[in-house]
Amino acid sequence: MNLSELGAFLRTRRARITPQEVGLITGPRRRVPGLRREEVAQLAGTSVDYYIELERGGGAHPSAQVLAAIARALRLDQDERDHLFLLAGRTAPASHGTSVHVQPAMLALLDRLDTTPARIITDLHETLAQNRPATALLGPAMGDSYVCRWFTDPGSRSIYPEADHPHHSRVLVYDLRAAVARRDHDAQSMEMVVRLRRTSKEFAALWDTGDVAVRRGDRKRIIHPTLGVLDIHCQNLFSEDGRQRLQFYTAPAGGPAVEQLRLLAVIGIQSLTDVPSEI
């Protein structure tokens, strides 16, 4: 671990990223060409004081989750991300979980969807990054797999009408089966299946049907505490290997959700921190 080198590396990476590259609006009195420290903290979801301490070479030993979030905020490529982890005394992440490397091009596209709820998730439904409209619509991002929460935590289903729950259960299980096969039944995905079969009778019954379907798009009804029920489209753009997808939400033309999504941008994320993150 070399915290002083870590701080120096963060400063150089921050200086090379323009606010426009990460979807931030710049004012006329900006004094630095790159990002401000508070902007990196905002993008990474950490406190400003904590990030400042990291750049100064002090503070606590950052977790893998914090390092992954900072790497995404600074648009590090895979070599730079691995170097960041090594400077912090952490093992470079494997190719799964919430510390997985997200391609800068995918993040750049996410940044440009500033009025469209969107996020990047893994094939096991772990949220890697999401924009502010997605947080306003779905609640804060949770790093663990939503498939697991859907079948083990009843509260995770609260943003959907109860009548829609069986449909979402089927969609999640069938999509998971496709992901497990693409991964050649690797340890991570199979451990998830074994655990869910043991803890959820609903999951076990659906898994035993053998049905499979890659989730490319869907029509959803989402319950918002202020705007009511939004009837919207959910679409997915996949990475080349299928391990990641950019998921975004749009309103059917001429429907009430057009105005609801417009109002969503005005309402923002106030009072939404307790809303469960969506699938």
Side-chain angles (χ1 to χ4, degrees), residues 77-150:
D77 62 28
Q78 187 161 348
D79 290 338
E80 291 171 324
R81 182 211 57 176
D82 290 352
H83 184 64
L84 176 70
F85 271 72
L86 292 173
L87 290 177
R90 298 283 184 182
T91 302
S95 59
H96 56 75
T98 55
S99 295
V100 67
H101 178 64
V102 183
Q103 292 296 327
M106 187 173 283
L107 282 169
L109 181 56
L110 177 67
D111 292 333
R112 282 156 178 76
L113 297 175
D114 54 353
T115 61
T116 300
R119 61 186 181 169
I120 299 169
I121 64 175
T122 70
D123 55 345
L124 300 183
H125 294 261
E126 302 152 319
T127 300
L128 301 176
Q130 69 181 27
N131 61 14
R132 289 178 62 85
T135 301
L137 177 66
L138 309 171
M142 306 290 283
D144 57 337
S145 169
Y146 193 78
V147 179
C148 292
R149 281 187 285 124
W150 178 265

Side-chain angles (χ1 to χ4, degrees), residues 178-229:
V180 171
R182 283 195 305 271
R183 289 168 167 257
D184 195 23
H185 299 78
D186 68 356
Q188 184 194 17
S189 60
M190 288 307 300
E191 190 277 333
M192 179 183 295
V193 171
V194 170
R195 183 171 72 252
L196 287 173
R197 282 178 57 84
R198 184 173 60 247
T199 58
S200 170
K201 292 182 179 179
E202 181 188 17
F203 178 89
L206 288 169
W207 187 263
D208 289 344
T209 65
D211 291 336
V212 59
V214 176
R215 181 188 182 188
R216 296 181 175 87
D218 205 355
R219 186 82 172 253
K220 293 187 173 186
R221 294 188 299 164
I222 296 176
I223 303 171
H224 188 275
T226 303
L227 300 176
V229 177

